[in-house]
């Protein structure tokens, strides 16, 4: 086998091989808030054929073993796009989805009018557009602890934030563990620091926002090649990329 950087060697596979699959499902018939909420599930995985090809090139694995290679599940993410100019009340739509999304809506929206909360509007460079809520980012246990979550989230945000004013999230543990209140606070503080490294800033009541109209020069090197390089750097050096909002 080829020698890998120590941190990559701890992973099931080279993280630069990860691909993201975007899934948006809705019924054909009309349903409540269909013009206001758009829910996306993003799956992160390594395709078996891609992994086998990589192993064939960089290892001494025999053909029988290569034929037995399977897809590698890395994690999953969920995002909710809230359309601000549709026929529905935006906060009522958010409140109908999950408690976490509803809480974010209570912070960034005026619950009575459905318009931006004044402090949130004042914090944005150009407060005209939709809102993207980053609801969940969950990695499988072997992939945790090396900064891959923000890398993958940044790549997904690039694809999903077209015409959004901001991305909002509420950092917290979402891996199903039972935590005490103190552990929840510690986890939230740690995750806050992680998400700040890719552009999220604390706003109010635990909610963090990323302004899609405030792009730094280093944000603009997006694209598949840049994402692949940043994934590799994240595993080998602990660096984390900043997302480019609204890339097509």
């Amino acid at each position: 086998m080829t020698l890998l950087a120590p941190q990559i060697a701890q992973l099931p596979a080279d993280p630069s091989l990860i691909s993201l699959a975007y899934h948006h499902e809705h019924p054909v018939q009309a349903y409540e808030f269909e013009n206001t909420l758009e829910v996306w599930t993003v799956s992160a995985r390594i395709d078996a054929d891609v992994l086998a090809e990589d192993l064939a090139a960089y290892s001494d694995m025999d053909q029988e073993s290569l034929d037995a290679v399977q897809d590698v599940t890395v994690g999953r993410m969920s995002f909710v796009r809230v359309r601000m100019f549709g026929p529905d009340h935006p906060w009522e739509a958010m409140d109908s989805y999950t408690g976490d999304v509803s809480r974010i809506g209570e912070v960034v929206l005026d619950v009575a009018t459905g318009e931006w909360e004044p402090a949130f509007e004042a914090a944005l460079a150009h407060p005209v557009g939709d809102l993207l809520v980053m609801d969940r980012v969950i990695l499988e246990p072997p992939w945790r602890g090396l900064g891959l979550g923000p890398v993958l989230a940044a790549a997904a945000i690039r694809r999903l934030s077209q015409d959004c004013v901001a991305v909002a999230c509420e950092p917290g543990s979402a891996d199903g563990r039972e935590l005490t209140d103190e552990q929840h606070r510690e986890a939230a503080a740690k995750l806050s620091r992680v998400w700040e490294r890719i552009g999220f800033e604390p706003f109010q009541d635990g909610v963090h926002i990323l302004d899609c109209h405030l792009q730094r020069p280093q944000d603009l090197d997006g694209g598949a090649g840049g994402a692949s390089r940043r994934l590799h750097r994240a595993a080998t050096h602990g660096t984390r990329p900043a997302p480019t909002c609204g890339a097509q």
Side-chain angles (χ1 to χ4, degrees):
M1 296 288 288
T2 185
L3 292 176
L4 300 176
Q7 289 176 301
I8 287 185
Q10 299 170 12
L11 296 173
D14 184 345
S16 66
L17 302 177
I18 295 171
S19 63
L20 301 182
Y22 297 79
H23 182 71
H24 171 58
E25 182 178 353
H26 62 85
V28 174
Q29 294 184 344
Y31 59 98
E32 190 176 24
F33 302 123
E34 65 176 333
N35 295 314
T36 304
L37 287 188
E38 187 177 289
V39 180
W40 287 87
T41 300
V42 184
S43 300
R45 70 184 184 93
I46 300 177
D47 181 79
D49 291 339
V50 172
L51 180 55
E53 182 178 350
D54 184 72
L55 291 171
Y58 298 106
S59 78
D60 55 3
M61 187 176 289
D62 59 49
Q63 189 59 51
E64 182 178 357
S65 298
L66 292 173
D67 291 340
V69 169
Q70 298 180 349
D71 291 348
V72 176
T73 299
V74 177
R76 64 189 185 280
M77 300 175 278
S78 62
F79 293 84
V80 180
R81 186 187 185 104
V82 184
R83 300 194 179 279
M84 295 298 298
F85 303 102
D88 303 314
H89 192 295
W91 182 78
E92 291 180 357
M94 296 177 74
D95 189 47
S96 73
Y97 186 61
T98 67
D100 292 339
V101 172
S102 176
R103 281 194 297 275
I104 291 175
E106 291 175 347
V107 174
V108 303
L109 297 177
D110 182 317
V111 174
T113 66
E115 298 178 350
W116 298 129
E117 195 273 338
F120 178 71
E121 184 172 15
L124 300 175
H126 184 64
V128 179
D130 295 334
L131 175 70
L132 184 66
V133 176
M134 186 171 70
D135 186 34
R136 291 285 189 275
V137 178
I138 301 176
L139 297 183
E140 294 297 315
W143 295 92
R144 296 174 187 166
L146 295 176
L148 293 181
V151 177
L152 300 178
I157 287 170
R158 289 189 64 249
R159 301 299 178 197
L160 296 175
S161 62
Q162 177 75 18
D163 297 327
C164 288
V165 301
V167 186
C169 72
E170 185 177 12
S173 177
D175 58 13
R177 291 176 295 162
E178 292 291 334
L179 301 177
T180 65
D181 290 344
E182 180 62 26
Q183 288 174 325
H184 273 294
R185 286 191 292 271
E186 292 177 356
K190 181 179 179 179
L191 288 171
S192 294
R193 293 191 292 270
V194 169
W195 294 116
E196 286 170 19
R197 291 170 182 165
I198 65 165
F200 282 93
E201 298 181 351
F203 175 58
Q204 290 179 2
D205 299 327
V207 172
H208 285 52
I209 61 174
L210 186 154
D211 191 327
C212 289
H213 293 281
L214 294 180
Q215 295 177 337
R216 297 165 294 179
Q218 61 265 38
D219 295 337
L220 303 178
D221 68 338
S228 177
R229 290 190 296 273
R230 291 193 298 274
L231 278 170
H232 189 82
R233 290 200 302 269
T236 56
H237 303 298
T239 59
R240 295 170 174 84
T244 304
C245 285
Q248 299 186 61

